[in-house]
Amino acid sequence: MDIRKSKNITTITLVMVFTVCFILGIIRWINIFNENVFVITKEINSHITNFTISLMLCTLIGYLLLCYRKKYLTIIIIGLILISTNLIYETILPFINTIDLIDAVYGILGVIISLIYLLFIDKKGFDNSET
């Protein structure tokens, strides 16, 4: 199978994206034990988990698909599936989760940021020279 080779900057930014998401998640969970620790504001803190999970999931799936030379349209379809899943989970499934439209908005924002990032990676993030 033909796999595209990432440029060094792509690898670095990918690690940075996941590191920032993990840090945001850690700060969020530290807040459980210390209410004075929060991400930017207390409002953002209560929704940051959905944002980071959506961003990391879309970025990981999208990056792997791009590595295997899938079209960006495939990534958009994955993003739309994640957005739909997020909306369904946050609005229609109250027996599993508290209905929270703001949480869904944060998840959608995470997917949109991921799609923009993946567009740049698709255009500039891989070594296109034949080896």
Side-chain angles (χ1 to χ4, degrees), residues 38-84:
F38 51 86
V39 178
I40 304 170
T41 68
K42 291 183 181 186
E43 176 67 24
I44 291 173
N45 198 64
S46 64
H47 304 290
I48 202 69
T49 305
N50 204 18
F51 171 80
T52 57
I53 290 170
S54 297
L55 186 115
M56 288 191 302
L57 189 59
C58 189
T59 301
L60 177 64
I61 294 169
Y63 175 74
L64 292 173
L65 289 171
L66 289 174
C67 283
Y68 284 96
R69 299 189 183 274
K70 299 299 180 192
K71 301 283 185 201
Y72 186 73
L73 180 60
T74 307
I75 311 306
I76 291 174
I77 293 168
I78 296 296
L80 291 173
I81 290 170
L82 289 171
I83 287 172
S84 300

Side-chain angles (χ1 to χ4, degrees), residues 13-117:
T13 61
L14 195 62
V15 169
M16 287 172 55
V17 166
F18 278 88
T19 300
V20 168
C21 286
F22 282 126
I23 289 170
L24 291 174
I26 289 169
I27 291 170
R28 168 63 180 108
W29 293 109
I30 288 174
N31 176 260
I32 293 171
F33 302 106
N34 184 350
E35 291 182 7
N36 296 323
V37 177
F38 51 86
V39 178
I40 304 170
T41 68
K42 291 183 181 186
E43 176 67 24
I44 291 173
N45 198 64
S46 64
H47 304 290
I48 202 69
T49 305
N50 204 18
F51 171 80
T52 57
I53 290 170
S54 297
L55 186 115
M56 288 191 302
L57 189 59
C58 189
T59 301
L60 177 64
I61 294 169
Y63 175 74
L64 292 173
L65 289 171
L66 289 174
C67 283
Y68 284 96
R69 299 189 183 274
K70 299 299 180 192
K71 301 283 185 201
Y72 186 73
L73 180 60
T74 307
I75 311 306
I76 291 174
I77 293 168
I78 296 296
L80 291 173
I81 290 170
L82 289 171
I83 287 172
S84 300
T85 303
N86 205 333
L87 283 170
I88 290 168
Y89 182 74
E90 293 296 343
T91 59
I92 300 176
L93 300 174
F95 58 91
I96 296 175
N97 184 33
T98 304
I99 292 177
D100 189 355
L101 193 57
I102 302 297
D103 225 8
V105 170
Y106 274 78
I108 292 167
L109 185 62
V111 171
I112 290 170
I113 290 171
S114 177
L115 290 174
I116 293 167
Y117 172 69

